[in-house]
Amino acid sequence: LRARAVWQESARLPKDIMAALLQLPAKDTVIAGENASLAQGARTIEASYARPYQLHGSIGPSCAVARYDEGGLTIWTHSQGVYPLRGAIAELMGMPPEKVHCIHAEGAGCYGHNGADDVAADAALLARALPGRPVRVQWMREDEHTWEPFGPAMLSKARASLDAAGAVSGFEYEVWSNTHSTRPGGKAGNLVAGWHVARPFQQPPAEALPQPEGGGDRNAIPLYRFPQTRVTHHFIPDMPLRVSALRALGAYMNIFSIESFVDELAAAAKLDPVEFRLRHVDDPRAKDVIRMAAERFGWSGYRRQNGHGRGFAFARYKNLAAYAAIAMEVALERQTGELQVLRVVAAVDSGEAINPDGIRNQIEGGILQSISWTAFEAATFDDTRVTSRDWSSYPILRFSHVPRQVEVHVIDRPGEHFLGTGEAAQGPTAGALANALADAAGVRIRELPFSRDRLKHALQA
């Protein structure tokens, strides 16, 4: 097949994805401050931030086993949703759902929607061609990297005014994003195989996930007490590349953007970043995690070393789950663009802490994953196809770049509601890393990831 197949490709992918996001039709929704506007006559600061398409990058590619026998189909799958998958495969195969049995099996995890459902559909089609025999389909690395749904590329713009005392008197934020979920949901059109059968299925229309949790606009509304706050979500239904849920959804990008911008505002106001945040926070639990992270890091007594920088960031995941604050120290080699996270100190409030060790594990994992996204990861493509098909073209965090020290301090709240820790660390980690890099470099980088080439270019500009 590889030697004889002839493929026809067309140039359909945009060369500049960020420009494309602004040009594609969007459904605009003001999710906060319908009538808000910036104060007149005040000092105004604005900035834009960008995130590329990113992969789940599961270390193990997707796999499934299927058996078709006597009009029934059994699939062993590591899908995150066996019931929606059953409905989608039933539609794909033209079978009654009660004749399809999906059994969950341990496999590569993803915290979102990777290729697990797609490979199950591949196995189902092959099993029907070989009734009575189990068929195992194992995607290869290039299959996973090329065909899995990506975390969407995103663009944000922030604008704020400062009064004479250095306080925010008006805040505007806009975010452009595709949908953050195209999980099967019982539809064959959300499976890759469904696009390539003799009678292909159309992918269902993209939908925005509603607030308060949101999708592309998750955590787009800041928790800070900013007067005249206005937040707009530009939802883009058209998707140049296939996208779906990647851990934290839009919260990662929105918190990275807002927390980077908050540091830029603090610098304009000539105020310490931690003090600036505390001045604009009313929630006492938010103040507690900010103060604890700063104190355990030694923020007030920090002694700067050549090439080192410190950064801080805070958020409450989805604005209704766990509170998390991150303080970070980095080292930057200016000649090579080599960036190393030296230590990370986190404070987290998840409500009553039944399993503090589980909370720490969740936050530690989120910190490492976010460092990988923020410093290394970006899917690449030309005008016809995805080009980041292996670990060389899609680098991830290696052991050599794991922080030397990670501390997680849990604030226990006996008797309080369980908030869920979830992806509380991903956004604040990105913000803290961006702010620490700006402190070390003296240059603000607003486009992810902070790759060596991007840093070298910025430092030499």
Side-chain angles (χ1 to χ4, degrees):
L1 282 173
R2 187 181 298 274
R4 294 177 181 271
V6 177
W7 302 100
Q8 292 181 337
E9 293 181 291
S10 58
R12 295 183 300 174
L13 297 177
K15 294 183 179 180
D16 184 340
I17 184 59
M18 295 308 157
L21 288 179
L22 293 175
Q23 294 169 1
L24 289 168
K27 298 177 181 178
D28 301 342
T29 304
V30 178
I31 60 173
E34 184 73 38
N35 300 313
S37 61
L38 293 184
Q40 298 297 314
R43 183 180 180 187
T44 301
I45 295 103
E46 53 189 311
S48 298
Y49 306 88
R51 167 198 172 179
Y53 287 101
Q54 293 177 318
L55 304 181
H56 295 84
S58 302
I59 298 298
S62 297
C63 182
V65 176
R67 182 185 178 98
Y68 184 84
D69 199 9
E70 297 181 357
L73 177 66
T74 302
I75 304 169
W76 289 265
T77 171
H78 56 110
S79 167
Q80 287 196 351
V82 291
Y83 288 99
L85 176 62
R86 179 178 72 165
I89 288 182
E91 184 179 56
L92 174 70
M93 307 286 286
M95 298 174 61
E98 59 270 18
K99 292 291 187 179
V100 179
H101 188 199
C102 293
I103 301 173
H104 185 268
E106 290 293 330
C110 65
Y111 286 94
H113 174 198
N114 65 355
D117 299 300
D118 299 302
V119 77
D122 293 348
L125 289 168
L126 291 170
R128 184 167 62 182
L130 296 167
R133 299 173 62 183
V135 176
R136 179 182 183 273
V137 178
Q138 170 73 67
W139 275 12
M140 296 294 101
R141 174 52 50 198
E142 58 269 24
D143 302 321
E144 188 80 30
H145 272 32
T146 303
W147 290 100
E148 70 147 83
F150 298 169
M154 297 175 65
L155 181 69
S156 67
K157 293 185 178 181
R159 185 166 173 255
S161 56
L162 292 172
D163 63 21
V168 174
S169 55
F171 179 87
E172 293 179 353
Y173 183 76
E174 300 175 83
V175 58
W176 286 259
S177 176
N178 294 138
T179 184
H180 282 254
S181 182
T182 58
R183 293 177 186 270
K187 298 295 182 181
N190 279 332
L191 299 168
V192 169
W195 310 341
H196 297 99
V197 290
R199 293 184 177 180
F201 294 84
Q202 293 297 315
Q203 190 168 10
E207 296 182 357
L209 301 176
Q211 285 284 322
E213 295 192 8
D217 56 349
R218 179 173 290 181
N219 276 105
I221 303 172
L223 202 65
Y224 297 104
R225 184 190 70 254
F226 290 156
Q228 295 297 316
T229 292
R230 179 184 174 92
V231 180
T232 305
H233 179 205
H234 304 281
F235 174 68
I236 304 169
D238 186 29
M239 296 169 284
L241 291 176
R242 185 190 186 205
V243 298
S244 194
L246 176 59
R247 200 173 182 195
L249 306 189
Y252 166 73
M253 170 61 177
N254 289 318
I255 296 170
F256 156 70
S257 304
I258 292 171
E259 288 301 295
S260 295
F261 191 60
V262 166
D263 255 43
E264 297 196 55
L265 294 175
K270 295 181 170 53
L271 291 172
D272 175 81
V274 172
E275 178 59 29
F276 187 83
R277 285 171 171 81
L278 289 171
R279 288 189 183 191
H280 290 88
V281 169
D282 282 335
D283 189 329
R285 293 172 71 169
K287 289 185 176 184
D288 285 347
V289 294
I290 291 171
R291 286 174 175 145
M292 174 172 280
E295 290 169 2
R296 299 300 175 92
F297 178 83
W299 188 268
S300 61
Y302 180 76
R303 293 185 178 181
R304 188 177 307 281
Q305 300 181 50
N306 187 37
H308 288 212
R310 62 175 181 172
F312 196 92
F314 154 80
R316 184 181 184 188
Y317 186 46
K318 305 180 188 177
N319 284 350
L320 50 78
Y323 301 80
I326 304 281
M328 182 183 296
E329 182 178 16
V330 303
L332 175 65
E333 174 51 61
R334 301 185 70 89
Q335 296 300 318
T336 63
E338 180 76 12
L339 177 64
Q340 178 73 54
V341 178
L342 301 178
R343 64 187 180 110
V344 184
V345 177
V348 57
D349 175 357
S350 299
E352 183 168 0
I354 296 299
N355 183 356
D357 188 54
I359 294 173
R360 292 188 188 95
N361 288 337
Q362 187 78 351
I363 295 296
E364 288 171 0
I367 289 168
L368 295 183
Q369 184 175 45
S370 184
I371 291 173
S372 184
W373 288 344
T374 307
F376 298 100
E377 297 187 38
T380 58
F381 53 93
D382 56 24
D383 58 0
T384 58
R385 62 169 64 181
V386 173
T387 55
S388 48
R389 303 179 64 202
D390 52 32
W391 294 122
S392 176
S393 52
Y394 190 86
I396 62 173
L397 182 75
R398 304 295 179 97
F399 286 110
S400 59
H401 284 87
V402 171
R404 299 173 187 172
Q405 182 179 350
V406 177
E407 296 178 22
V408 179
H409 301 280
V410 178
I411 298 178
D412 191 7
R413 302 284 188 184
E416 290 286 352
H417 293 295
F418 310 117
L419 297 180
T421 304
E423 282 70 65
Q426 274 79 346
T429 298
L433 181 49
N435 294 331
L437 172 60
D439 188 44
V443 176
R444 171 68 60 172
I445 312 294
R446 300 185 181 91
E447 183 173 357
L448 298 170
F450 303 145
S451 64
R452 183 181 297 186
D453 288 344
R454 177 165 287 144
L455 295 186
K456 285 175 65 177
H457 177 76
L459 292 169
Q460 294 168 4

